[in-house]
Amino acid sequence: MNSFKTIEWEDDFIKILDQTRLPSEEIYLECRDLESVAKAIEMLSVRGAPAIGVAAAMALAYESQKFEGNDFELFLSKVNDMCDRLRRTRPTAVNLGWALKRMFQKVLDSKNKNVSDVKQILKKEADIILNEDIAINHSMGMFGQEILPDSGTVMTICNAGSLATAGYGTALGVIRAAVEKNKDISVVSCETRPLLQGARLTCWELQKDNIPVILITDSMAGYYMREKGVDIVITGADRVAANGDSANKIGTYSLSILAKEHNVPFYIAAPISTIDVSAQTGEDIPIEERSKNEVTQIKGHQITPENIGVWNPSFDVVPNKYISGIITEKGILRPPFIENIKKIVSN
Amino acid sequence: MNSFKTIEWEDDFIKILDQTRLPSEEIYLECRDLESVAKAIEMLSVRGAPAIGVAAAMALAYESQKFEGNDFELFLSKVNDMCDRLRRTRPTAVNLGWALKRMFQKVLDSKNKNVSDVKQILKKEADIILNEDIAINHSMGMFGQEILPDSGTVMTICNAGSLATAGYGTALGVIRAAVEKNKDISVVSCETRPLLQGARLTCWELQKDNIPVILITDSMAGYYMREKGVDIVITGADRVAANGDSANKIGTYSLSILAKEHNVPFYIAAPISTIDVSAQTGEDIPIEERSKNEVTQIKGHQITPENIGVWNPSFDVVPNKYISGIITEKGILRPPFIENIKKIVSN
């Protein structure tokens, strides 16, 4: 459906759409080693929990091909180092660790094989992860679109779209699926300061797909709900705890409270790989803090006085009490989340 | 106390600090006619409800000096035209209309005087309005500082400071008064998209006064309350209705809901001239919508795709149910607001 690919294999490199340059420029990075993919993740050239899981798996598969010889233990140790490097890129999204764990397990399971075969297995597994992600998003879309009205407005924050995944998107995938069912859906995109993923990325990809979108500043969300009305809020997630508490882009917590105050249902759309049952609650989810320059500068221009104190967490946590449901590829999870998450994860 | 003046008389012009250039440049406009002050108000070079009331009064006083002859009726008609032009600059802040009405009344009351004397009366009245505004802010500060803890954090949005008034400020005046009483107060400034008055102006003037300030994006307000804690939210207002509903910078409505959810008291600081008893409720307050470019461009740089739909109201309305109190120069108004506003206005 999309006229662009967030990330894909080329003959001899990994091709990544540089999202820091959107929407003004559509430029693709050609990554020929793990380090350049790791940097692309750190610099947010590729971002979104599912997409960075896919990118990490592909980087690992790519770099491991360079290994020479047939010493399995040495290979295992190198792959372990690669995982370490990739895991250090960003702390909050659990899909990154999930994808790396899955790849590493493939190596552990291949102890008796030739290293050249294991390298092929890794390449194939990364392909599976990439294609699975798209399929999962379609499935999530199918379940999610059912709760959307035939005609209505969805509010979202950040970008949980094609650009945040291997394709189709999580929150925006639900919207795409509804539009494919001929529902008349328009989107209200919160701009998502500091890095403006809503203004830059969500508006860009919805415009490409001819899905109507209205842009507002994050500060307008409550007043929009009151004055114009919103049928539902749907956002992505970077990590969902065992009790349903969900970490997502900073601003999502406020949005969930505003939704509650206006009786607007608040949904998370996230693949099951985003659920981290080792985190009992949101308290156990590490929250990345990024450079103050993200707040004090826009496109390299200083917008504040010099030497101002800044707080810049990239994410916040929505407590489960504000969440109406979590849309997954296996159906929609509803309260009580602890029970229902346990069931879906063990299936 | 301040090392800068928002607006002041010079020998032959009105000197206005151009707030659109702050904080990177401290440049003063030299206005030599009413039209250039009107433009300065429209372009937000001078902004903040009390400050634009003062600016309008000064512009009227300045321009009226140019009238030649002694035809009172002609003079009255010219002054009326001037008021019309100034009133058209911005619709939401009532202080503008309040100041112009007060000036116009002075002319009406001077029917039997020489026009040259009336011109002097207008000049004097504008001076009084300017000096009164500073005195009123000090009085508001005195009442307001009493509700601040000996040590604590105040969250605010936009700029309700010296820059929004003739000096000292409304919400920031309360903070200044507490600091003068040796209270240990730090400020959390919401950046205030789209025009970043919090990031640009509030941070600038607090830094000048050595009052500790932390800058956050508007989207972080709820999570800041939850994670770091805030003792009180205080904002300014552009118009307060007879029932206490208060219009203020877009984002204030969301902030009031977030405050309620975190049991943080929410106060408005505004002079009595901001109360418009002709507006029964917030529904009767006109809300200015401004150009979409304010949202799609920052410092002239396009940050979104071209031709994106945008909603850009400059203000929103906080319903009285979310307001703990309204700090005025005559004391703090508390619920029931309808009764207590009636009392204070008729006094």
Side-chain angles (χ1 to χ4, degrees):
Chain A
M1 179 170 186
N2 298 125
S3 52
F4 60 90
K5 288 265 177 61
T6 305
I7 182 165
E8 66 181 324
W9 291 112
E10 286 289 335
D11 282 348
D12 63 339
F13 59 88
I14 299 169
K15 189 175 163 189
I16 293 177
L17 175 53
D18 184 354
Q19 299 186 33
T20 65
R21 313 285 282 269
L22 287 175
S24 55
E25 295 171 299
E26 194 171 330
I27 288 174
Y28 291 82
L29 305 176
E30 301 185 1
C31 298
R32 290 182 165 80
D33 53 28
L34 178 143
E35 187 57 27
S36 57
V37 177
K39 288 252 160 60
I41 296 173
E42 285 168 346
M43 305 289 289
L44 313 188
S45 294
V46 58
R47 31 64 53 201
I52 64 180
V54 170
M58 289 170 73
L60 189 70
Y62 187 94
E63 190 75 13
S64 67
Q65 306 303 315
K66 297 180 188 167
F67 183 84
E68 288 178 7
N70 197 28
D71 182 337
F72 183 85
E73 289 306 319
L74 186 60
F75 180 70
L76 185 69
S77 141
K78 290 278 180 198
V79 169
N80 193 40
D81 291 348
M82 293 176 204
C83 288
D84 280 351
R85 170 67 186 101
L86 288 164
R87 212 179 282 110
R88 276 201 312 277
T89 52
R90 300 197 67 195
T92 301
V94 75
N95 315 58
L96 183 76
W98 167 87
L100 292 170
K101 199 172 155 194
R102 180 166 158 176
M103 294 288 280
F104 194 69
Q105 191 59 46
K106 280 283 157 188
V107 185
L108 290 177
D109 293 347
S110 309
K111 249 195 177 113
N112 302 321
K113 299 206 171 78
N114 278 330
V115 168
S116 61
D117 292 339
V118 188
K119 294 191 319 197
Q120 284 316 301
I121 289 169
L122 284 179
K123 177 75 171 57
K124 203 175 143 194
E125 191 66 14
D127 272 340
I128 293 172
I129 288 175
L130 181 137
N131 290 317
E132 258 183 24
D133 187 56
I134 300 173
I136 280 169
N137 289 336
H138 279 274
S139 177
M140 224 183 292
M142 196 188 66
F143 286 113
Q145 63 81 21
E146 285 182 22
I147 57 172
L148 263 53
D150 288 339
S151 170
T153 303
V154 182
M155 185 177 278
T156 190
I157 188 170
C158 197
N159 172 268
S162 291
L163 290 166
T165 62
Y168 205 67
T170 54
L172 298 193
V174 170
I175 290 161
R176 285 195 169 90
V179 170
E180 286 163 14
K181 291 270 186 189
N182 294 314
K183 292 190 177 184
D184 180 19
I185 301 296
S186 67
V187 178
V188 180
S189 171
C190 296
E191 66 172 2
T192 321
R193 281 280 290 151
L195 293 182
L196 298 164
Q197 292 93 337
R200 296 190 301 109
L201 308 179
T202 293
C203 287
W204 184 79
E205 72 165 269
L206 290 176
Q207 195 180 48
K208 282 220 166 203
D209 278 0
N210 293 313
I211 297 173
V213 57
I214 290 286
L215 174 66
I216 59 171
T217 65
D218 306 315
S219 58
M220 294 170 191
Y223 198 55
Y224 194 98
M225 289 178 190
R226 182 184 169 96
E227 292 295 304
K228 306 277 185 181
V230 166
D231 293 289
I232 184 171
V233 176
I234 311 180
T235 77
D238 291 78
R239 193 181 300 215
V240 177
N243 71 343
D245 290 354
S246 297
N248 191 47
K249 180 55 54 196
I250 186 72
T252 310
Y253 172 67
S254 289
L255 212 51
S256 72
I257 292 170
L258 296 170
K260 186 193 102 174
E261 188 71 13
H262 295 89
N263 296 310
V264 176
F266 178 91
Y267 281 81
I268 295 283
I272 288 167
S273 59
T274 306
I275 299 173
D276 175 13
V277 289
S278 79
Q280 297 291 305
T281 73
E283 299 284 314
D284 302 321
I285 300 176
I287 297 297
E288 178 182 11
E289 288 199 32
R290 292 180 64 89
S291 161
K292 63 183 269 187
N293 291 347
E294 291 186 351
V295 175
T296 59
Q297 297 175 358
I298 294 181
K299 284 204 166 190
H301 296 269
Q302 184 78 19
I303 53 167
T304 69
E306 301 286 344
N307 304 317
I308 278 290
V310 171
W311 188 54
N312 184 25
S314 269
F315 304 93
D316 56 29
V317 175
V318 181
N320 60 11
K321 67 177 171 176
Y322 298 131
I323 301 174
S324 311
I326 301 173
I327 303 162
T328 78
E329 69 272 32
K330 289 189 188 169
I332 300 178
L333 291 167
R334 296 192 180 277
F337 286 116
I338 297 182
E339 254 173 76
N340 292 332
I341 284 177
K342 199 176 281 173
K343 256 185 247 165
I344 214 165
V345 167
S346 60
N347 267 348
Chain B
M1 178 170 186
N2 297 126
S3 53
F4 59 90
K5 288 261 176 65
T6 305
I7 183 165
E8 64 182 325
W9 292 112
E10 287 287 336
D11 280 347
D12 63 340
F13 59 88
I14 300 169
K15 190 175 164 190
I16 293 178
L17 176 53
D18 184 354
Q19 300 187 32
T20 65
R21 313 284 282 269
L22 288 175
S24 55
E25 296 171 298
E26 195 172 327
I27 288 175
Y28 291 82
L29 305 176
E30 301 184 0
C31 297
R32 290 184 166 79
D33 52 30
L34 179 142
E35 187 57 27
S36 57
V37 177
K39 288 253 160 57
I41 295 172
E42 284 169 346
M43 304 290 287
L44 313 189
S45 294
V46 58
R47 28 65 55 201
I52 63 181
V54 170
M58 289 169 72
L60 189 69
Y62 186 93
E63 191 75 14
S64 66
Q65 306 304 314
K66 296 180 189 167
F67 183 85
E68 288 178 6
N70 197 27
D71 182 338
F72 183 85
E73 289 305 318
L74 186 60
F75 181 70
L76 185 70
S77 143
K78 289 277 179 198
V79 169
N80 193 40
D81 290 348
M82 293 178 204
C83 287
D84 279 350
R85 169 68 188 102
L86 287 163
R87 211 179 281 111
R88 276 201 312 275
T89 54
R90 299 196 70 195
T92 301
V94 75
N95 314 60
L96 184 74
W98 167 87
L100 292 171
K101 200 173 155 193
R102 179 166 158 175
M103 294 288 280
F104 194 69
Q105 191 60 47
K106 281 283 157 190
V107 185
L108 290 178
D109 292 347
S110 310
K111 253 195 174 114
N112 302 322
K113 298 205 171 80
N114 277 331
V115 168
S116 62
D117 292 339
V118 188
K119 293 191 318 195
Q120 284 315 303
I121 288 169
L122 284 179
K123 177 77 172 54
K124 203 175 145 195
E125 191 66 13
D127 272 340
I128 293 172
I129 288 176
L130 181 137
N131 290 317
E132 257 183 24
D133 187 56
I134 300 174
I136 281 170
N137 290 335
H138 278 275
S139 175
M140 227 183 292
M142 195 187 68
F143 286 113
Q145 64 80 23
E146 285 182 22
I147 58 172
L148 264 53
D150 286 340
S151 171
T153 302
V154 182
M155 185 177 280
T156 190
I157 188 169
C158 197
N159 172 268
S162 291
L163 290 167
T165 61
Y168 205 68
T170 54
L172 299 192
V174 170
I175 290 160
R176 286 195 168 92
V179 170
E180 286 163 13
K181 291 269 187 190
N182 294 313
K183 292 190 177 184
D184 180 19
I185 301 296
S186 67
V187 178
V188 179
S189 171
C190 297
E191 66 173 3
T192 321
R193 281 280 288 150
L195 293 181
L196 299 163
Q197 291 91 337
R200 296 189 301 109
L201 308 179
T202 294
C203 287
W204 183 78
E205 71 165 269
L206 290 175
Q207 194 181 49
K208 282 220 166 204
D209 277 359
N210 293 312
I211 297 173
V213 56
I214 290 287
L215 174 66
I216 61 171
T217 64
D218 306 314
S219 58
M220 294 170 190
Y223 198 53
Y224 194 99
M225 289 179 191
R226 183 185 168 96
E227 291 296 304
K228 306 277 184 181
V230 165
D231 293 288
I232 185 170
V233 176
I234 310 179
T235 78
D238 291 77
R239 191 181 301 213
V240 176
N243 70 343
D245 291 354
S246 297
N248 191 46
K249 181 53 55 196
I250 185 73
T252 310
Y253 174 66
S254 289
L255 212 51
S256 72
I257 292 170
L258 296 170
K260 186 193 101 173
E261 188 70 15
H262 295 89
N263 297 310
V264 175
F266 179 91
Y267 282 81
I268 296 283
I272 288 167
S273 59
T274 306
I275 300 173
D276 175 13
V277 289
S278 79
Q280 297 292 307
T281 74
E283 299 285 314
D284 302 321
I285 300 177
I287 298 297
E288 178 181 11
E289 289 200 31
R290 292 180 63 90
S291 161
K292 62 183 272 186
N293 292 347
E294 290 186 351
V295 175
T296 59
Q297 298 176 359
I298 295 181
K299 284 203 166 192
H301 296 268
Q302 183 78 17
I303 54 169
T304 69
E306 302 286 345
N307 304 318
I308 279 290
V310 171
W311 188 54
N312 184 27
S314 268
F315 303 92
D316 55 27
V317 176
V318 181
N320 59 11
K321 66 177 174 179
Y322 299 132
I323 301 173
S324 311
I326 301 173
I327 304 163
T328 77
E329 70 271 31
K330 290 191 190 169
I332 301 178
L333 291 167
R334 296 193 179 278
F337 286 116
I338 296 183
E339 252 173 77
N340 292 331
I341 284 177
K342 199 176 283 177
K343 255 186 249 165
I344 214 166
V345 167
S346 59
N347 267 345

